[in-house]
Amino acid sequence: MSEALIRVDRLKKYFPIRGGVFQRTVGYVKAVDGVSFDIRKGESFGLVGESGCGKSTIGRTILRLGDKTEGNVFFNGQDIYKLRKEEMRKLRPKLQIVFQDPFGSLNPRIKVGEAIGEALLDHGVTDRKEVRRRVLQTLEICGLASYHYDRYPHEFSGGQRQRIGIARALILNPDFIVADEPVSALDVSIQAQIINLLSDLQREQSLTYLFISHDLSVVEHLCNRVGVMYLGSMVELAGKEELFQNPLHPYTKALMSAIPVPDPTVKRERIVLKGDIPSPANPPSGCKFHTRCPIATDICSQKVPEYRNVGHDHWVACHLA
Ligand code: SF4
């Protein structure tokens, strides 16, 4: 088993809720509430759950794009929240992110070649010819052509824009990339192209991914291990095959029942969860999932289930699993 590149240890990220005339803190949105997991070198770790479950916040907090509330994040054994500003700046090229909407982070008045090259200039590569050479090389690696260098963001399709987003992350030779819903806004056929590109890049450049998605079927294609989050907590984590063949948590089972089956002769019973996802500012007592769980019993609302290893490196937080 390869060693951990990223170790997340009891990570919490709370956002204050302010109210009253003096805008005092009157509560907290517990976006990430004590989550621990490792991401091994060279693996693609999938993080899934409904929107608002805290998965994107984890991605950003791992990269230290903002503060944590409690807990630790280690990169190659180094606690990144203990690094000074300058040390963090030096580490930054190794830790990159691909967003769902790369268009939002691109200046419409700057040519994409220059936008991709900005990161190199920021990190001390001052030779303009070298910057251009590396941008052209990265465009090619990402399936774009050299003439795209001089084009503006609005001249690209959704899939091409995501290739630009990947090129921006890749230009600094990172070790670790958080891909935050990178294909959610794309058509299905384009999704496959981007997933194949990410998969090829991972193999060729020995990358490690945290792949965030609300869609388990997307994660199934790319990831080695998968964690399932609900309301700020990890409720299940296992290797991909183990999780897909033997899901134990009722929430994971419900997510899986929503994956379309390509064979029309196979019928899968859909588990429809009742109610909306509760507010992370006021999560339910005991098991946070008990208000929607189809098999909840009395103990579920009273006692927080232990997150435990049930064998085969399969972790679950459910009294009845
Ligand atoms: Fe459902 Fe109870 Fe398990 Fe929570 S602990 S998932 S409510 S059965």
Side-chain angles (χ1 to χ4, degrees):
M1 191 187 299
S2 61
E3 59 189 297
L5 181 70
I6 298 285
R7 188 152 73 80
V8 179
D9 182 28
R10 289 164 291 173
L11 187 66
K12 291 185 182 178
K13 174 70 185 179
Y14 294 176
F15 295 98
I17 304 166
R18 304 202 192 274
V21 181
F22 298 106
Q23 288 293 292
R24 292 208 175 98
T25 301
V26 293
Y28 290 94
V29 172
K30 297 176 179 174
V32 179
D33 199 12
V35 171
S36 300
F37 62 102
D38 289 346
I39 304 176
R40 298 167 190 158
K41 272 187 187 156
E43 86 166 332
S44 183
F45 187 98
L47 201 53
V48 295
E50 287 162 294
S51 98
C53 71
K55 52 195 190 309
S56 292
T57 307
I58 285 198
R60 298 180 68 86
T61 314
I62 287 178
L63 299 181
R64 204 174 155 181
L65 300 172
D67 271 338
K68 59 166 186 167
T69 303
E70 256 181 64
N72 303 90
V73 178
F74 298 90
F75 172 75
N76 262 332
Q78 195 171 34
D79 186 340
I80 65 162
Y81 278 89
K82 290 214 169 115
L83 296 179
R84 288 196 208 99
K85 208 172 163 192
E86 187 52 28
E87 291 171 322
M88 193 62 220
R89 213 185 80 80
K90 280 193 189 141
L91 182 64
R92 187 59 71 201
K94 297 285 163 207
L95 307 167
Q96 292 294 306
I97 187 163
V98 174
F99 294 103
Q100 177 181 350
D101 173 22
F103 194 57
S105 61
L106 287 169
N107 185 330
R109 285 185 284 274
I110 295 185
K111 292 173 183 171
V112 300
E114 289 165 14
I116 295 169
E118 266 175 357
L120 285 174
L121 295 168
D122 286 349
H123 284 89
V125 181
T126 49
D127 180 345
R128 296 258 165 197
K129 272 195 189 150
E130 173 62 8
V131 170
R132 188 176 172 91
R133 187 192 68 76
R134 282 176 63 176
V135 171
L136 289 172
Q137 187 186 41
T138 309
L139 284 173
E140 191 187 337
I141 289 169
C142 293
L144 294 163
S146 54
Y147 59 80
H148 287 131
Y149 186 104
D150 292 309
R151 295 208 173 157
Y152 291 92
H154 72 269
E155 297 179 79
F156 291 86
S157 66
Q160 285 175 322
R161 283 178 197 160
Q162 197 49 283
R163 289 176 189 272
I164 295 165
I166 294 168
R168 283 184 101 186
L170 218 57
I171 191 90
L172 292 167
N173 290 328
D175 289 334
F176 175 63
I177 294 181
V178 172
D180 188 359
E181 300 269 13
V183 297
S184 308
L186 304 175
D187 293 343
V188 174
S189 60
I190 310 295
Q191 282 187 1
Q193 291 174 15
I194 297 297
I195 288 171
N196 288 340
L197 172 65
L198 288 168
S199 176
D200 292 346
L201 291 172
Q202 183 182 33
R203 215 175 32 254
E204 289 156 13
Q205 316 225 357
S206 307
L207 293 168
T208 302
Y209 291 142
L210 172 63
F211 190 92
I212 296 169
S213 178
H214 65 278
D215 185 347
L216 262 175
S217 57
V218 169
V219 163
E220 190 180 3
H221 290 288
L222 189 71
C223 297
N224 309 95
R225 289 188 304 144
V226 181
V228 181
M229 282 193 69
Y230 185 77
L231 220 55
S233 299
M234 193 76 86
V235 295
E236 188 160 13
L237 190 162
K240 178 181 68 181
E241 281 82 18
E242 167 69 12
L243 190 82
F244 277 78
Q245 281 164 25
N246 185 27
L248 297 177
H249 197 283
Y251 180 59
T252 313
K253 289 179 185 173
L255 291 182
M256 284 195 182
S257 76
I259 301 175
V261 185
D263 182 348
T265 62
V266 176
K267 289 257 178 294
R268 181 189 275 155
E269 199 179 327
R270 177 90 194 260
I271 303 169
V272 180
L273 294 175
K274 55 185 181 187
D276 292 329
I277 188 164
S279 164
N282 187 21
S285 60
C287 172
K288 291 179 190 170
F289 187 55
H290 84 258
T291 53
R292 301 171 78 198
C293 180
I295 59 165
T297 61
D298 288 349
I299 192 178
C300 300
S301 59
Q302 293 156 16
K303 196 171 166 207
V304 178
E306 185 192 353
Y307 181 63
R308 64 195 198 282
N309 188 349
V310 291
H312 306 286
D313 207 14
H314 189 156
W315 295 75
V316 66
C318 171
H319 293 304
L320 306 187

